[in-house]
Amino acid sequence: MSLILSSATHSLREISRVTGVSKPSVLKIQHRINILTAEQKEGLAGATGNEIMGLLYSKNTGNADTSCRNNKGGKYIPDFKKIAEKMVETKMSKRTAYEEYLQEAEERKAETLSLGHFYRKLDEELSEIMEPDNYYMIQKFEYGEQLQADFTGDRYQLNTYHGLVNCWIFVLCFPASYYCYAGFVTAQSTEESCRVIGNAVRFFGNRVPRLLVSDNARAFVNYHKGGSYIVNESFENYLAELGICFIPTPVRAPRDKSAAEHSVNMVQRMIKNHNFSFNGIPNTIDGHSRNLQTYVEKYINNAPFRRNTEKTRSWLFASYELPKLRSVTSIPEYQAKIKSVVVPRSYHIKLNNHSYSVPYTHIGRYVDVYMLNDYVIIKYEGKEIARHLRAPDKDTGSRITTITEHMPPVHRKIKAAEKYLLTPDDILHYASSLDEKVYKFCEKRLSYAGRNPELYMHNAITSCRSVINFYESEQYKELISEACEDILHQSSAKWCIKEIKKIYFSRIKEEEARSGKSGQRKKMINRTDTTEAFMRDDGSDELSGDSNLN
């Protein structure tokens, strides 16, 4: 049978009829016979069926140098398996492979296979190398060109120093080498995604690709319909500072980011198969992410890839991907623009139940507020005018962060006085320089607190300090002085700033009624609102002008 199959005098149809073997099978067997050496072909005549099978399908079939052999027509037959492996490894196109084949054939002065024949043989080898579900070679991704991103559907519980936190995993994958990076995110948000992208860039040695491809998640895209889309401004700005262009995939087109989809499945399977848990020892989110990437390196990036234990994802990344990536000098901070707001009279902007100060000179002006990972930045006409450490988002209760330089001079003076007025002696010494009746009130209040154990001295100091601040901030100081004197004739339970203010504003109304100039007085008198800071230029612009504060 072997002689019939290798015979050049019989047609393909006749061989198929005589042997009872289909024509495609005859072609395959003839191909294997043609690549045998002359000695091996002679051995076919007296060989048994098993010996023939062993010889035809042995790994040692043919010449030792399989890249140099001719078929029965004298045409140069290359080693298609090596060519296919090279294509997968280097992302070489079939056209380039054929051009290299033509050049080799010319050097050997041999005839060449047709383009169609070459492609068919090459496709056969590629189909054996590539896994059944692995169709990524068709897309011909270039090394260093693209990075794909996606979130896991599964959620994982992390034990942090603030308790248990439910997280997703944000996966980044290079479709050329299939090298992937993974990090935990507390939310599928722009801020969390940028945090992981920044960590990934650091992990890659401050190297970035040209493109980032993802789906139309709300963390990245505000609007996406058909070929029209609007990218999230904060996300686009962050990538722009890294020099990365973002491309959202069309709706319901997972194959456009198939590498990321495949990597997400591998990460989820890895955690399930190895029973990895992150709710044991407390750690930070980034600490848990570093542990996760250690597992990804071991079980995915350094695992056998396309049945090859040497040319792994890590090897391809280090050999081909990394050299093609572009270096960046720094990794930007994520800036989420909250909104443009008008600075209120309190010169504080409230975000997530926390108030941050703005220079008082910008009261009434529109400013832009940006939330970074660690900071809150406030800009006016593109110029940064304030930067604060960002308070925890889950911080309950209203908090205030104020920079002294943002305060008007009179408020800075009051603030300095509060730091100075810490003891009864400080209170009395400072009050004596302001007004005699204010001094007597403070003296009586502190003395009464000292004689009555049930009244805490801290409350007395706070009360006296409030009266002093009220006296310095208001315009009609003589009325406050009278109120301090009158309150001392009443019950000691009323010796507080609240009762003094009642007397003060009552006297103002009485004087307005007597003068008949209430309209004019109302313009002159501004009552303090608890939600807004009261500002008035009292002519005292320099803190150093008061010797008692030095």
Side-chain angles (χ1 to χ4, degrees), residues 454-501:
E454 69 275 6
L455 296 177
Y456 297 100
M457 182 58 69
H458 173 75
N459 293 341
I461 292 175
T462 301
S463 179
C464 292
R465 194 159 53 203
S466 298
V467 171
I468 290 173
N469 290 340
F470 184 61
Y471 178 85
E472 289 190 316
S473 63
E474 286 296 319
Q475 181 177 0
Y476 303 105
K477 300 186 185 328
E478 70 282 0
L479 296 182
I480 299 176
S481 178
E482 294 174 4
C484 288
E485 182 181 38
D486 292 346
I487 204 68
L488 293 177
H489 297 296
Q490 300 183 30
S491 168
S492 59
K494 294 187 176 183
W495 292 2
C496 61
I497 185 63
K498 180 180 179 181
E499 297 299 327
I500 289 176
K501 284 184 176 181

Side-chain angles (χ1 to χ4, degrees), residues 118-361:
F118 181 89
Y119 278 8
R120 284 194 299 273
K121 293 296 184 182
L122 191 57
D123 286 338
E124 289 177 7
E125 293 295 340
L126 286 173
S127 65
E128 292 185 11
I129 294 176
M130 307 297 283
E131 296 175 7
D133 61 342
N134 203 338
Y135 43 79
Y136 313 118
M137 179 62 193
I138 299 174
Q139 300 186 50
K140 299 177 184 176
F141 295 108
E142 298 292 334
Y143 284 116
E145 178 78 5
Q146 185 179 130
L147 182 64
Q148 297 182 3
D150 199 8
F151 295 99
T152 60
D154 295 345
R155 298 182 69 178
Y156 305 91
Q157 197 171 65
L158 276 57
N159 188 12
T160 70
Y161 297 110
H162 301 290
L164 295 176
V165 178
N166 289 320
C167 294
W168 289 269
I169 296 177
F170 187 49
V171 179
L172 299 168
C173 179
F174 291 96
S177 62
Y178 275 85
Y179 185 84
C180 65
Y181 177 89
F184 288 107
V185 291
T186 58
Q188 295 186 16
S189 64
T190 311
E191 179 180 358
E192 283 289 275
S193 301
C194 289
R195 178 179 61 80
V196 174
I197 291 172
N199 289 339
V201 173
R202 294 184 186 93
F203 186 80
F204 301 148
N206 282 24
R207 300 291 188 95
V208 296
R210 191 174 69 86
L211 302 173
L212 177 67
V213 177
S214 181
D215 56 20
N216 60 335
R218 291 302 299 270
F220 316 129
V221 180
N222 293 334
Y223 171 85
H224 196 160
K225 185 175 182 180
S228 176
Y229 58 85
I230 299 175
V231 180
N232 180 294
E233 181 183 0
S234 300
F235 185 67
E236 190 172 37
N237 290 340
Y238 183 83
L239 293 183
E241 290 195 46
L242 286 171
I244 301 175
C245 179
F246 176 67
I247 300 178
T249 61
V251 181
R252 293 181 293 278
R255 288 195 177 185
D256 286 2
K257 58 178 181 65
S258 54
E261 297 273 352
H262 184 62
S263 297
V264 163
N265 292 332
M266 286 194 299
V267 170
Q268 292 182 150
R269 287 199 305 267
M270 176 194 72
I271 295 176
K272 290 179 181 178
N273 293 341
H274 295 277
N275 295 319
F276 291 136
S277 176
F278 301 91
N279 57 8
I281 300 174
N283 204 339
T284 62
I285 300 295
D286 283 342
H288 282 301
S289 295
R290 285 191 290 270
N291 292 336
L292 173 63
Q293 184 59 26
T294 301
Y295 299 140
V296 170
E297 288 294 305
K298 180 178 180 180
Y299 295 101
I300 296 178
N301 290 335
N302 290 308
F305 182 52
R306 291 176 180 145
R307 304 188 184 101
N308 195 321
T309 58
E310 294 181 357
K311 296 179 180 180
T312 62
R313 294 174 176 83
S314 291
W315 185 87
L316 292 172
F317 177 78
S319 301
Y320 300 103
E321 196 90 63
L322 194 60
K324 294 293 184 69
L325 296 177
R326 183 175 50 82
S327 298
V328 292
T329 56
S330 62
I331 299 173
E333 295 177 299
Y334 169 75
Q335 297 185 15
K337 184 178 179 182
I338 302 300
K339 54 186 175 180
S340 295
V341 298
V342 177
V343 179
R345 294 180 63 221
S346 64
Y347 57 91
H348 282 75
I349 294 174
K350 197 167 187 177
L351 301 170
N352 297 334
N353 212 36
H354 195 101
S355 297
Y356 301 92
S357 66
V358 181
Y360 78 98
T361 52

Side-chain angles (χ1 to χ4, degrees), residues 428-453:
L428 295 176
H429 178 71
Y430 192 79
S432 64
S433 66
L434 297 178
D435 180 81
E436 180 181 359
K437 294 175 182 178
V438 172
Y439 171 80
K440 287 183 177 180
F441 169 82
C442 293
E443 182 184 36
K444 287 278 188 180
R445 182 71 177 85
L446 294 170
S447 176
Y448 186 80
R451 293 196 306 268
N452 294 271

